[in-house]
Amino acid sequence: MAAKRNDVAELPGLDVPGTAEPKLGPTGRPLREFPVPAPLSGHGPARIIALCNQKGGVGKTTTTINLGASLAQYGRRVLAIDFDPQGALSAGLGINTHDLPTIYDLLLGSEKDTLSTIVETSTPGLDIIPANIDLSAAEVHLVNEVAREMILARVLRQVSDRYDVILIDCQPSLGLLTVNALTAAHGVLIPLECEFFALRGVALLIETIDKVRDRLNPAITLDGILPTMFDPRTLHSREVLERVVETFGDRVLESVIGRTVKFPDASVAGTPITTFAPEHAAAESYRRVARELVARGAVA
């Protein structure tokens, strides 16, 4: 089983010669540079990370796609799990789910072999288990199952040794599917839109994580809160980010994802932004998130 991380690791700082004030990042903390991760000597077992927020439209799917692609670019083997009935992750990676076995088939047991549902994407090192609207019926079918919260963990156990990280793109709710994801995960990454209504739900989500830790998965940790859709030109966006850092401290990643039209453009093209516009600042932002998570010990 992958090693569990209990505390945020010490992060390497950026030494500034002389007495000059260190440059501050968008979170108001000294701007650090995270090194390019060293190559791995082998692959697996995977650390499973659930990307979770009960509010929709905060960047969960965008983060899953582009974080996965960035980690793959750094030599990590990544499996993305589309765990949202809308199937946005599958569409965003250019996967047509028509006539393909999906995560729904694995959950219900109509497909026994997890490996047979894995689809390679156009990004080397990044694979996906797709989903479609069928997944919306899963909670109804699973509600009477024994150990229903553990089903996804059992499904992923078959393939975890083949990957370095498994990213679960959760649906925007705190229902049975999300509880399955939290029970299977070693860590949680919370994409948080820099907007007031997105901020309100974080306390409820962390309370849910605490309940899962207490009752189902004692080893789960909060890997970080990732600010998304940040617009430094607006006072509201800056104030929300400041409030998040004041409340959650070092649990907030130093990397911040800005608002840009390049993300929907890349989604339409069915490819990560790291491929669609590799030189764009948004692509570098996600590569920086990948480097920071490796530096924090959340990813090997």
Side-chain angles (χ1 to χ4, degrees), residues 172-217:
S173 79
L174 296 179
L176 182 56
L177 290 180
T178 299
V179 171
N180 257 269
L182 294 176
T183 304
H186 301 119
V188 183
L189 181 63
I190 303 176
L192 176 66
E193 181 186 6
C194 293
E195 190 268 340
F196 174 70
F197 288 111
L199 177 61
R200 293 178 64 201
V202 175
L204 177 60
L205 175 56
I206 291 179
E207 181 180 323
T208 300
I209 295 169
D210 288 340
K211 287 180 180 178
V212 170
R213 182 186 297 114
D214 183 52
R215 302 172 187 178
L216 296 167
N217 183 5

Side-chain angles (χ1 to χ4, degrees), residues 98-178:
H98 183 65
D99 288 337
L100 285 180
T102 67
I103 190 68
Y104 174 75
D105 300 304
L106 291 170
L107 294 177
L108 266 64
S110 57
E111 179 62 58
K112 304 291 185 183
D113 182 12
T114 304
L115 192 60
S116 68
T117 66
I118 294 175
V119 180
E120 293 183 357
T121 73
S122 59
T123 301
L126 176 59
D127 298 339
I128 182 175
I129 297 180
N132 55 31
I133 194 63
D134 292 344
L135 187 60
S136 61
E139 294 197 8
V140 175
H141 289 295
L142 296 178
V143 70
N144 293 319
E145 291 288 327
V146 175
R148 57 186 179 270
E149 301 91 355
M150 309 284 188
I151 295 174
L152 180 62
R154 187 176 68 244
V155 165
L156 298 183
R157 202 174 298 133
Q158 295 182 33
V159 295
S160 63
D161 285 345
R162 301 171 61 91
Y163 295 93
D164 302 307
V165 59
I166 296 175
L167 302 175
I168 307 174
D169 180 27
C170 297
Q171 66 174 348
S173 79
L174 296 179
L176 182 56
L177 290 180
T178 299

Side-chain angles (χ1 to χ4, degrees), residues 238-251:
R238 297 197 303 271
E239 286 181 338
V240 168
L241 182 54
E242 182 181 354
R243 174 79 175 274
V244 172
V245 174
E246 285 177 357
T247 305
F248 298 105
D250 285 342
R251 289 184 288 181

